[in-house]
Amino acid sequence: MVLAVLAAGGVTGTLVRAGRREAEAEKIRLAEQARVQALRSMEAIWLLGDREFEEYVAELCRRDGCTEVRRVGGANDLGADVIGRLPDGRKIVVQCKRYAKHRTVGSPDLQKFNGTVRDEHGADVPLFVASCKFTKQARAFAARRSLVLFDVDLLGFWNSGTPLTAHLDLDIGRSGTNRKLQPDHD
């Protein structure tokens, strides 16, 4: 009887561990599937012009409950393409870069943005949105300066319905990747 209970316990333990491994593998598979779907949703975004991209980002802000949202980008915008208020009232200032997916945004672009976003525009939340990746140096700079970065992956998730506020507290120094995407070949 004791041996039967021990054997059953051993089998149960093995099954539980196997179930956990399977659940973890499924979680990883679903995350990868979501990432691929988010990237696919980006195809239309890469076809937008610069002003259209800025308006698209402004519309995403509005969708997620931001108020007083306006596109202000253009010549002499001092690094602000979209300005508004988050649902909690904080002022958000957004710099938008619609680049080809195989390009990257480097540290100099973030340094310029950082130089004006708080002093000139009074941002509580400085957000830099790009349709490509950020370099490792840019990500490190953003982490030191508390800049929020949305690369192509986060933009894809935002585009797919994940609310803006769900992304704002990510640790940009530890999340994401700086590996460039491959260009399309015709």
Side-chain angles (χ1 to χ4, degrees), residues 78-96:
L78 295 174
D81 293 320
V82 176
I83 295 176
R85 297 233 171 245
L86 292 168
D88 64 9
R90 292 180 293 165
K91 185 174 185 180
I92 187 168
V93 177
V94 186
Q95 172 63 240
C96 301

Side-chain angles (χ1 to χ4, degrees), residues 62-114:
R62 289 182 196 103
R63 178 200 75 193
D64 290 344
C66 294
T67 59
E68 302 174 32
V69 177
R70 62 191 194 283
R71 191 191 70 75
V72 295
N76 302 314
D77 64 17
L78 295 174
D81 293 320
V82 176
I83 295 176
R85 297 233 171 245
L86 292 168
D88 64 9
R90 292 180 293 165
K91 185 174 185 180
I92 187 168
V93 177
V94 186
Q95 172 63 240
C96 301
K97 290 292 182 202
R98 189 209 46 82
Y99 287 159
K101 65 181 166 185
H102 63 277
R103 292 199 46 201
T104 56
V105 175
S107 184
D109 286 325
L110 293 179
Q111 291 171 23
K112 290 176 195 171
F113 180 57
N114 185 60

Side-chain angles (χ1 to χ4, degrees), residues 6-7 19 34 37 54 68 74 88 100 116 130 141 158 168 180 185:
L6 288 176
Q37 287 174 339
E54 293 167 4
E68 302 174 32
D88 64 9
T116 60
F141 180 84
W158 191 21
L168 294 180
K180 288 192 220 181
H185 298 289

Side-chain angles (χ1 to χ4, degrees), residues 2-178:
V2 173
L3 288 177
V5 170
L6 288 176
V11 169
T12 302
T14 301
L15 291 174
V16 167
R17 285 189 297 281
R20 285 183 187 148
R21 282 192 303 271
E22 193 172 301
E24 186 61 30
E26 180 66 4
K27 182 178 172 184
I28 291 168
R29 187 191 68 75
L30 289 173
E32 178 61 16
Q33 181 181 16
R35 188 187 72 74
V36 168
Q37 287 174 339
L39 258 180
R40 281 191 193 127
S41 72
M42 293 297 299
E43 294 301 328
I45 294 165
W46 285 311
L47 297 175
L48 297 174
D50 293 340
R51 287 179 184 252
E52 292 172 312
F53 182 65
E54 293 167 4
E55 188 52 49
Y56 156 76
V57 169
E59 196 52 45
L60 287 175
C61 290
R62 289 182 196 103
R63 178 200 75 193
D64 290 344
C66 294
T67 59
E68 302 174 32
V69 177
R70 62 191 194 283
R71 191 191 70 75
V72 295
N76 302 314
D77 64 17
L78 295 174
D81 293 320
V82 176
I83 295 176
R85 297 233 171 245
L86 292 168
D88 64 9
R90 292 180 293 165
K91 185 174 185 180
I92 187 168
V93 177
V94 186
Q95 172 63 240
C96 301
K97 290 292 182 202
R98 189 209 46 82
Y99 287 159
K101 65 181 166 185
H102 63 277
R103 292 199 46 201
T104 56
V105 175
S107 184
D109 286 325
L110 293 179
Q111 291 171 23
K112 290 176 195 171
F113 180 57
N114 185 60
T116 60
V117 71
R118 290 183 180 94
D119 292 342
E120 291 291 328
H121 300 292
D124 297 312
V125 178
L127 172 61
F128 200 111
V129 178
S131 61
C132 58
K133 297 288 188 171
F134 292 92
T135 64
K136 184 177 182 179
Q137 295 80 8
R139 296 167 69 77
F141 180 84
R144 288 192 307 273
R145 300 293 189 265
S146 298
L147 302 175
V148 179
L149 301 184
F150 272 34
D151 67 4
V152 64
D153 294 329
L154 287 180
L155 181 57
F157 286 118
W158 191 21
N159 179 57
S160 296
T162 304
L164 169 64
T165 54
H167 297 294
L168 294 180
D169 294 325
L170 291 176
D171 181 352
I172 199 62
R174 294 177 34 175
S175 63
T177 177
N178 57 304

